[in-house]
Amino acid sequence: MNRAFSPLVQSLLVAMLAMAVNATAAEEKKPAAAAPVAKADPAKGSSLFADGDAARGIPACVSCHGAGGNSTIAANPKLAGQNAAYIHKQLVDFTTPDRVQPIMTGYAKLLTDDEKKNIAAYLGTQVAKPGAARNKDTVELGKKIYRGGIAEKKVPACASCHGANGAGVPVQYPRLAGQSQDYTATQLGLFSSGHRSNGPMMAAIAKRMSDDEMKAVADYIAGLK
């Protein structure tokens, strides 16, 4: 025998139905869980650095940057011990108009972002071999610029950002200690001319320096340990 629901039971049923609907709607509105961020793998970076990937036309990084990132070619930077975040940023920048370099731009575009991070992580674990200043006639000028800047040209001391010993500041400023004179001087020249635009602060500073001042400070930097 069918009986009509009492007003109280009807009210309870309506309330329960409303709660179920609201719970379902809330569940649907929940944002999707973010994909886990993969950690950089230095071992994979080491393999790519040492062997490259012939199938994709990526040569071994070691052929230009030396074993463990200690380049013996003056025109190519020493990368051993460099801050991993800085290296990753540069590899990304090579794929943009801010830092175009015929060789590195091509290779950087072939690397995935994870591969860039892996290579950077590997190089960050390597030990940099020391360099040496070689021009005794200008090393004092280089020391003066690095430690005290050039006040009359509003050039700040390099040490104020890169550290007294050229160790740099993670993420913000690269390690400079022991870097090749030729490479450092070339980069200062590129900043000055506007051909490298991924460092606005460095571009502004380099524009105020003469070629001789750039070479002198680059030589002093090579001897920092």
Side-chain angles (χ1 to χ4, degrees):
M1 180 174 175
N2 294 328
R3 293 182 178 178
F5 291 118
S6 69
L8 176 60
V9 173
Q10 287 179 338
S11 297
L12 288 173
L13 288 174
V14 170
M16 291 173 65
L17 180 60
M19 290 174 63
V21 170
N22 289 337
T24 300
E27 188 67 27
E28 290 176 350
K29 289 181 180 179
K30 280 185 179 179
V37 178
K39 291 184 178 179
D41 189 332
K44 289 182 179 179
S46 173
S47 178
L48 196 53
F49 187 89
D51 303 319
D53 186 341
R56 289 189 290 154
I58 301 173
C61 311
V62 68
S63 60
C64 289
H65 294 288
N70 281 292
S71 174
T72 57
I73 303 172
N76 299 334
K78 295 178 180 180
L79 301 176
Q82 185 60 269
N83 177 266
Y86 179 78
I87 293 179
H88 173 256
K89 180 183 183 301
Q90 298 312 301
L91 287 172
V92 171
D93 286 352
F94 276 126
T95 68
T96 74
D98 292 333
R99 191 174 184 188
V100 177
Q101 203 278 343
I103 296 175
M104 282 307 305
T105 291
Y107 295 148
K109 287 181 177 179
L110 295 174
L111 295 169
T112 66
D113 194 58
D114 282 344
E115 288 171 335
K116 291 180 176 70
K117 290 178 180 177
N118 293 341
I119 292 172
Y122 163 68
L123 288 168
T125 67
Q126 300 307 292
V127 178
K129 293 182 179 179
R134 62 191 181 198
N135 191 335
K136 59 183 178 60
D137 296 327
T138 64
V139 72
E140 283 303 315
L141 172 60
K143 179 179 179 179
K144 179 182 177 182
I145 295 171
Y146 190 88
R147 294 188 175 184
I150 310 172
E152 62 273 22
K153 291 186 176 183
K154 296 183 179 179
V155 172
C158 310
S160 62
C161 290
H162 297 284
N165 296 319
V169 177
V171 183
Q172 292 179 294
Y173 307 113
R175 170 189 170 86
L176 297 180
Q179 189 58 267
S180 159
Q181 288 95 332
D182 292 355
Y183 179 76
T184 301
T186 296
Q187 296 310 303
L188 287 171
L190 291 174
F191 276 125
S192 176
S193 66
H195 286 90
R196 179 175 172 179
S197 56
N198 69 331
M201 183 189 298
M202 280 306 309
I205 292 170
K207 289 180 189 301
R208 302 172 193 150
M209 299 175 70
S210 68
D211 288 345
D212 287 342
E213 289 165 342
M214 291 180 194
K215 290 177 182 177
V217 78
D219 190 48
Y220 178 71
I221 284 170
L224 288 174
K225 297 177 177 61

